[in-house]
Amino acid sequence: MDAKVRRAALGLSPVLAVLAVLGLWQAVTTGGLFTADQFPTMTDTLAALASAVGTEAYWESVLATLQSWSLGLLIASVLALLVGSALAFNDFAFRSAAGVIEVFKAIPAIAILPLVIMVLGSTLEMKVFLVAFGVFWPLVIQVIYGVRSMDPTVLYTARALGIRGPRRFVSVTVPSAAPYIATGLRIASASALILSVVAELVGGAAGIGRNILRAQNGGTSAYPVMYAYIITAGLIGIVLTGAFFLLERRVMHWHESQRNRRANDRRVLR
């Protein structure tokens, strides 16, 4: 197959898959497999989405969700980088904290939501805390393993050159652990969005989740609006994951994993 044709086919395949899913959605809802009070049609849902996009309330809810997502992810990332690096460089601290980290990592963040609501209420702070708590533990593990996987020669060279303290952390530690950190951030981004929407859905804080709950309580006539907000959350997740993926490829272009990926892409397109 010609390289241009293959490239075009690879580019069109996601679009065709989406169109196939939309067509199947419309077919099963109009064919009587589902009733209107169970699952609205694709056309009704997209019409509700188009109508909602033109309202101020829609964008306010999107911004509220993104605000808690970004603040929670930022706080968790900074803390994970600092705590994870400190634990990775000290074997005693790492062994002492490993059990605690594994215990807290196993606790679903949603399980502490009632307690967080009691303390902070249905506020932005509640959402930010829940997001930060949920993504901190997987992130700190990624940082620890990233730092501990550093080539000892790199550390010895840095010490020989007199690179110490914050300078070594910025110029040696972070770049060496960057592949692990980048992967952790990409995964944490999706988890942070899920936690933000769940906090709004269950905790009643402003955002996409609360609008989903309101539409559900509005009766069957509001179901297309409910699914419109669900689709919005999914689209935001796709955009954020894609953005982190592209950022990883751009920032980590020097790393072996990205060089291998580019080589594989070229081989597929031949």
Side-chain angles (χ1 to χ4, degrees):
M1 184 183 294
D2 184 76
K4 291 183 178 180
V5 176
R6 184 175 299 177
R7 189 179 295 110
L10 290 175
L12 286 175
S13 57
V15 178
L16 295 176
V18 171
L19 292 176
V21 170
L22 292 177
L24 180 62
W25 178 1
Q26 184 69 12
V28 298
T29 50
T30 57
L33 188 59
F34 293 97
T35 60
D37 60 344
Q38 293 175 322
F39 202 35
T41 64
M42 179 268 293
T43 52
D44 288 344
T45 301
L46 293 185
L49 177 60
S51 177
V53 167
T55 64
E56 184 178 350
Y58 175 87
W59 293 108
E60 287 178 350
S61 66
V62 170
L63 290 176
T65 298
L66 289 177
Q67 184 181 22
S68 57
W69 167 84
S70 58
L71 290 175
L73 184 60
L74 176 62
I75 293 172
S77 301
V78 173
L79 290 177
L81 185 59
L82 296 176
V83 174
S85 299
L87 294 177
F89 281 120
N90 189 308
D91 284 336
F92 177 77
F94 170 69
R95 295 179 185 278
S96 301
V100 177
I101 293 174
E102 289 297 332
V103 168
F104 277 99
K105 178 191 172 187
I107 298 176
I110 193 65
I112 67 169
L113 182 56
L115 175 62
V116 179
I117 294 175
M118 288 176 57
V119 176
L120 299 176
S122 299
T123 60
L124 173 64
E125 290 77 10
M126 177 270 292
K127 294 197 296 177
V128 171
F129 179 86
L130 191 71
V131 170
F133 177 86
V135 303
F136 169 78
W137 306 106
L139 268 178
V140 77
I141 291 175
Q142 284 290 108
V143 173
I144 290 173
Y145 285 116
V147 174
R148 290 177 70 87
S149 67
M150 288 174 55
D151 187 347
T153 305
V154 176
L155 288 177
Y156 298 150
T157 303
R159 290 171 184 168
L161 295 175
I163 303 176
R164 301 180 183 278
R167 184 184 174 193
R168 187 181 73 175
F169 178 77
V170 173
S171 60
V172 178
T173 303
V174 173
S176 298
Y180 290 84
I181 297 173
T183 301
L185 283 174
R186 180 156 41 85
I187 298 172
S189 171
S191 299
L193 180 63
I194 293 171
L195 289 172
S196 184
V197 173
V198 169
E200 296 159 357
L201 187 63
V202 179
I208 293 174
R210 187 170 71 178
N211 285 5
I212 293 174
L213 183 62
R214 285 178 173 176
Q216 181 192 23
N217 295 333
T220 57
S221 61
Y223 278 10
V225 178
M226 179 182 72
Y227 280 94
Y229 278 105
I230 293 174
I231 290 175
T232 298
L235 291 175
I236 292 174
I238 292 173
V239 171
L240 293 177
T241 300
F244 271 94
F245 180 77
L246 292 176
L247 182 63
E248 180 182 353
R249 294 189 66 172
R250 179 65 61 87
V251 175
M252 300 287 299
H253 63 89
W254 51 270
H255 193 262
E256 181 182 1
S257 62
Q258 297 302 322
R259 294 199 301 269
N260 292 339
R261 179 175 294 170
R262 289 195 296 270
N264 290 334
D265 291 343
R266 287 193 295 268
R267 186 161 53 249
V268 169
L269 293 175
R270 287 177 183 172

